[in-house]
Amino acid sequence: LATQSFGDVTLNASGRVSQLWGYNVRNGLTTGLSTTLASPLGPRGSIQLSYDFSDDFFSAQTVGKHRLAADLSFDTGNFYFYTFLSKSLDQDRYNFQGDLSYRFDKRWRIGLTGTHESFLGSEYSDYGAVLAFNLGLREIGISYSKQRNRIGFEILGTPIR
């Protein structure tokens, strides 16, 4: 619907109306609204706050009609931090994720990750570490997951750094 800037702060808002029909879906009109407030945190960080409303059967049953989310990131070149929190306002559901990395040089980095999720009384938590080597557009790494309690070998995607 609109984008408005207030200095470095940007407000985005959008809406949608959809008609669903077909097999394995509940037919009918659905609506949605998203608003996001984003701001830089100095020259190397950012924060984003958002509210989402989605009035369809799938969203109402799984993630809730009303959701708040926040993410925070900071990147100095060698040090990278990212965290994300999402909370449903009408469902017993939340999600927290965090990522912390330190790049020793252009090829090597060590990273720590953590996640905690809750949905209708069930909870899941995991944290881990990775030692990664950059091979151009990809990374290869040795990782550890507390939940799986094992060491693994990974071919990682393109790093966003």
Side-chain angles (χ1 to χ4, degrees), residues 136-148:
L137 295 178
R138 301 274 186 218
E139 287 183 325
I140 58 170
I142 298 172
S143 63
Y144 172 76
S145 166
K146 176 63 177 166
Q147 178 69 22
R148 293 185 304 262

